[in-house]
Amino acid sequence: MTTHLVSTDEPATPGVEKSDEPESILVSRGAFDARSLVTSMPLALRKLAPRAQARNPVMFVVFLGAVVTTVLALLRPSRFSWTVAAWLWFTVLFANLAEAVAEGRGRAQADSLRKVKRDTIARRLCADDDLAGVGATEEVAGSDLRIGDLVLVEAGEVIAGDGDVVDGIATVDESAITGESAPVVRESGGDRSAVTGGTVVLSDRIVVRITTAPGETFVDRMIALVEGAARTKTPNEIALDILLTSLTVIFLLAVVAVAPMQEYAGQSPDPVKLIALLVCLIPTTIGALLSSIGIAGMDRLVQRNVLAMSGRAVEAAGDIDTLLMDKTGTITYGNRRATDLCPAPGVSVDELARVAHRCSLADDTPEGRSIVELCRSAYGVAPDEGTDPDRRVTDTIIPFTAQTRMSGVDSDGVDSDGGGALVEYRKGAADAVTRWVVAGEGTVDDTVAADVERVSSAGGTPLVVGVRTHGQPARVMGVIALSDVVKPGMTARFAQLRAMGIRTVMVTGDNPLTARAIATEAGVDDFVAEATPEQKLDLIRAEQAAGRLVAMTGDGTNDAPALAQADVGLAMNTGTSAAKEAGNMVDLDSDPTKLIEVVGIGKQLLITRGALTTFSLANDLAKYFAILPAMFTAVYPQLDALNIMGLHSAQSAIVSAVIFNALIIVALIPLSLRGVRYRPDSASKLLGRNLLVYGVGGVVTPFIGIWLIDLVVRLLPGMG
């Protein structure tokens, strides 16, 4: 394995954003609105069950407080006790509402996916080794297919289950899954062999080997994921739960200690006041919104056509330090393309273009098609150039072989005058064409060898073009430069990752010379050349051993071990089943650079949780100083100096705080679902911004809110 450090002088461009974001028919990008609150209310009411409440320790305390307060209000009715009880129930309900809205958005997406999932009739091959699909078939329900079954699918038919194409090539309509209207090509023997149940074959025929059991298909997993049914708490959520539970216990002990203090001061403890005080002091805001933040994070991924297999993967994406990207098909287009023509001495570029076009017309490889495209678009060669209606031409295609390392065509024609001659066109490896020219009594100019060396040094592949007319010496026409073309915009995207503090590493099996050229052009921070699947795995383990989180994108079976080892493994939907099973995320658009958006969403989730936690704790601190002075002012008049808001009485202060506590949850639901805006910046600046906005805001907002509510509450009878 060869590793080189590539110095890049591309400036960081944190403002670069992707404008052509892919749309999907599976998701709605509508902003949060009041309608979603109304439609989610029935689910929020169902979540009032004690078993559902017990999953959230903080809100379970509020739930128990609401139950006890309601009982006390029944035993000793008063306007104050009933008001507190009502708003405590509203607090619990609004907390459920935040989670219900997030889950409701996922269910809407799941309903769309269910329309894709349908039980189709499959034509299963009776002979397991009949890959040609010419033998007998039997019709079975898609739900009866088993792993390993071979299914024949022809144009117009629905693919009955997830699998890999083992024979044939076809265009497939995957719009129901990806939202992309353009059909895609699926073929056997490559990294684009995976097909998904529910998609439709548009042309030709393929034989699919089923790789998943009924009920475990890709669409089934998508439905479960977007509904959040399989979402487990991440380590950060568990740690935050422990912190919030600890704070709840501390405040519970503190409130319990208030009762003896009141008795000592000559006041009769009021359980309703103490319960209300406890609810206002514990971190109810973040406790109510914590679950919705995590669900909304996964929902934002689905909106971008990325499915995360767990919340852990989303959070890990926000913390990654190193990104490994496969070169072929990720940073580059994957197939080498013709990018330049270098004519030999005495040959014009137009002559070279015509000959290169002629000897590539029958070449159906991606490289051959790119040569034809280059000659037509850049050099104006007409599609029918070189043909003559008065000339009867017999073309003999010369295919590429490993022995000759050349391909081309022999044209033998007779014109109307009876003349004509055999013309041989060849293109191929420099040494092979050189030997062919020399054998045809021709010579090769040193300039051609220099052009070959120059193209090779730049990481490209040189193809030499030669022509020989019967009875004349063969001659070299020039050199075609094939290059592994870097996708547009990659340099800006890598600069954006660098602004996020992420180190990018290109992994390729190419030689170091080619790898260096591509890495420099793309703007990655580092590259690894001549890498095997085992070396990719070792590289990820080495990064993780150094304490760094690693993300990996890939689409091939050879990427599966690395995808499984990486903290974030983003597999392409067009890739093999092995790659999709190994990764913990799947990109339905098969855009490897989508990982930039995934990282942004992960960071946004972490920042949102941190910002709302900061706001909640600061909020509780402010409520503490707002309520306690009002509660004890009657006994200790000196505390009135701390009643800076001038709250009317202990009762009005408590009711105002309880009302504010419920309303602030509703006010923050849109933010928890939308997420705090993330802008690539250093961790210290992000922390400072959050402390300023949400820390200071969390202290100021309760003072203003409680004071305004108290102005209204004090006017109500029974609150004096």
Side-chain angles (χ1 to χ4, degrees):
M1 180 174 67
T2 306
T3 307
H4 295 277
L5 181 65
V6 179
S7 61
T8 57
D9 51 8
E10 292 287 342
T13 54
V16 174
E17 296 181 358
K18 185 178 179 182
S19 58
D20 52 345
E21 190 173 317
E23 296 292 336
S24 169
I25 65 171
L26 300 182
V27 299
S28 170
R29 298 178 185 271
F32 173 85
D33 53 30
R35 182 179 179 183
S36 58
L37 290 176
V38 176
T39 56
S40 301
M41 188 61 70
L43 178 59
L45 291 172
R46 290 196 295 271
K47 288 179 175 289
L48 289 175
R51 180 175 297 180
Q53 293 298 310
R55 292 197 296 264
N56 188 330
V58 176
M59 297 314 301
F60 187 59
V61 171
V62 181
F63 174 77
L64 293 177
V67 172
V68 174
T69 304
T70 303
V71 173
L72 294 174
L74 290 171
L75 297 176
R76 292 183 296 177
S78 68
R79 186 181 298 273
F80 170 73
S81 59
W82 278 115
T83 302
V84 172
W87 280 100
L88 289 182
W89 282 115
F90 280 135
T91 302
V92 177
L93 182 62
F94 293 158
N96 293 343
L97 189 61
E99 186 173 358
V101 170
E103 291 182 0
R105 290 165 62 169
R107 282 186 169 85
Q109 294 159 354
D111 290 339
S112 297
L113 287 169
R114 286 191 179 93
K115 297 177 182 178
V116 175
K117 180 177 169 56
R118 47 180 170 168
D119 194 10
T120 58
I121 299 300
R123 289 191 290 160
R124 183 169 59 190
L125 300 180
C126 296
D128 291 342
D129 59 347
D130 183 21
L131 294 183
V134 296
T137 61
E138 57 179 343
E139 292 189 348
V140 298
S143 57
D144 293 334
L145 292 174
R146 295 294 178 262
I147 296 176
D149 285 349
L150 295 177
V151 178
L152 177 64
V153 191
E154 296 183 330
E157 296 179 348
V158 177
I159 299 173
D162 293 1
D164 290 326
V165 178
V166 293
D167 185 72
I169 180 172
T171 54
V172 179
D173 178 8
E174 294 187 345
S175 59
I177 301 296
T178 65
E180 176 58 55
S181 58
V184 296
V185 176
R186 292 290 176 263
E187 58 185 326
S188 61
D191 289 343
R192 295 182 177 270
S193 61
V195 291
T196 304
T199 57
V200 181
V201 173
L202 299 179
S203 68
D204 304 295
R205 54 165 293 287
I206 51 176
V207 176
V208 177
R209 187 185 301 279
I210 300 299
T211 57
T212 55
E216 299 177 2
T217 65
F218 188 58
V219 174
D220 288 316
R221 295 201 306 272
M222 289 167 65
I223 292 173
L225 287 168
V226 299
E227 283 185 324
R231 199 186 82 86
T232 57
K233 289 187 176 181
T234 65
N236 283 343
E237 283 182 297
I238 295 173
L240 188 54
D241 270 342
I242 295 173
L243 172 63
L244 299 182
T245 303
S246 302
L247 290 175
T248 301
V249 172
I250 292 172
F251 281 119
L252 176 62
L253 296 175
V255 170
V256 169
V258 170
M261 293 173 59
Q262 286 184 306
E263 289 185 349
Y264 178 78
Q267 283 185 330
S268 297
D270 186 346
V272 175
K273 290 182 179 179
L274 294 178
I275 291 173
L277 176 63
L278 174 63
V279 170
C280 290
L281 295 185
I282 62 177
T284 52
T285 305
I286 186 60
L289 300 174
L290 183 59
S291 180
S292 66
I293 293 171
I295 295 174
M298 296 184 70
D299 176 68
R300 284 193 292 275
L301 276 182
V302 174
Q303 290 180 10
R304 288 159 177 80
N305 278 3
V306 177
L307 295 179
M309 304 306 175
S310 70
R312 297 170 185 264
V314 185
E315 286 200 0
D319 280 333
I320 67 168
D321 303 293
T322 304
L323 168 61
L324 271 61
M325 301 184 78
D326 187 47
K327 175 186 73 70
T328 305
T330 302
I331 296 175
T332 66
Y333 281 104
N335 296 316
R336 293 179 181 267
R337 298 185 174 189
T339 55
D340 194 17
L341 298 181
C342 309
V347 178
S348 69
V349 71
D350 291 335
E351 289 180 283
L352 173 59
R354 285 193 294 271
V355 173
H357 179 270
R358 187 74 180 86
C359 63
S360 301
L361 281 174
D363 186 352
D364 199 36
T365 64
E367 291 82 2
R369 291 194 296 268
S370 73
I371 294 172
V372 172
E373 180 183 351
L374 176 69
C375 294
R376 291 179 179 178
S377 61
Y379 298 99
V381 177
D384 58 351
E385 187 158 339
T387 63
D388 187 339
D390 296 327
R391 180 178 173 86
R392 300 187 301 276
V393 179
T394 301
D395 283 346
T396 302
I397 298 173
I398 308 299
F400 177 88
T401 65
Q403 290 75 26
T404 63
R405 297 168 62 207
M406 294 186 301
S407 65
V409 63
D410 290 349
S411 293
D412 190 7
V414 179
D415 57 29
S416 57
D417 296 330
L422 174 67
V423 181
E424 301 173 68
Y425 301 92
R426 295 290 186 273
K427 73 175 191 301
D431 56 344
V433 176
T434 298
R435 286 195 298 270
W436 179 80
V437 170
V438 172
E441 300 179 354
T443 59
V444 179
D445 193 277
D446 292 340
T447 305
V448 174
D451 287 336
V452 169
E453 178 63 25
R454 179 177 55 81
V455 172
S456 300
S457 300
T461 300
L463 294 181
V464 176
V465 178
V467 64
R468 180 169 58 188
T469 303
H470 184 67
Q472 299 179 15
R475 61 177 182 148
V476 172
M477 302 298 292
V479 178
I480 303 173
L482 297 180
S483 303
D484 206 354
V485 180
V486 175
K487 294 180 178 179
M490 292 302 299
T491 302
R493 286 180 172 268
F494 286 130
Q496 187 177 5
L497 285 169
R498 203 155 37 247
M500 294 179 182
I502 298 171
R503 174 173 166 262
T504 54
V505 180
M506 183 187 78
V507 182
T508 177
D510 283 342
N511 62 74
L513 193 64
T514 301
R516 176 184 293 277
I518 296 296
T520 303
E521 182 180 355
V524 295
D525 298 318
D526 199 357
F527 71 88
V528 178
E530 299 175 345
T532 64
E534 294 79 10
Q535 289 169 332
K536 293 179 186 179
L537 190 60
D538 291 341
L539 177 61
I540 293 176
R541 288 173 175 168
E543 291 285 322
Q544 291 171 333
R548 291 185 282 269
L549 293 182
V550 181
M552 168 78 183
T553 63
D555 58 0
T557 301
N558 64 324
D559 295 322
L563 288 170
Q565 179 67 35
D567 300 284
V568 178
L570 181 63
M572 302 296 103
N573 189 42
T574 55
T576 61
S577 297
K580 290 194 287 186
E581 290 291 338
N584 51 19
M585 290 186 183
V586 177
D587 177 22
L588 301 181
D589 295 325
S590 298
D591 176 10
T593 61
K594 184 77 69 67
L595 193 58
I596 295 175
E597 295 178 46
V598 173
V599 170
I601 291 171
K603 289 184 178 294
Q604 185 183 43
L605 185 148
L606 296 176
I607 290 173
T608 301
R609 183 181 297 150
L612 292 184
T613 301
T614 302
F615 183 89
S616 179
L617 298 180
N619 191 32
D620 296 333
L621 180 65
K623 285 183 289 186
Y624 181 86
F625 286 102
I627 298 173
L628 282 184
M631 288 185 63
F632 288 94
T633 297
V635 180
Y636 301 106
Q638 298 88 344
L639 291 177
D640 190 58
L642 298 178
N643 187 15
I644 59 177
M645 292 180 290
L647 301 181
H648 180 63
S649 64
Q651 287 186 334
S652 69
I654 290 174
V655 171
S656 300
V658 170
I659 294 175
F660 174 83
N661 201 55
L663 295 181
I664 198 65
I665 294 174
V666 179
L668 291 176
I669 289 177
L671 182 61
S672 70
L673 298 179
R674 185 178 63 251
V676 176
R677 182 182 179 186
Y678 169 71
R679 288 174 291 185
D681 214 335
S682 64
S684 59
K685 290 184 179 179
L686 291 175
L687 178 62
R689 186 184 303 123
N690 282 342
L691 288 177
L692 177 63
V693 175
Y694 297 97
V696 176
V699 172
V700 173
T701 304
F703 281 101
I704 298 175
I706 293 174
W707 174 71
L708 291 174
I709 296 173
D710 181 75
L711 294 178
V712 178
V713 170
R714 69 175 64 183
L715 301 177
L716 301 177
M719 298 298 172

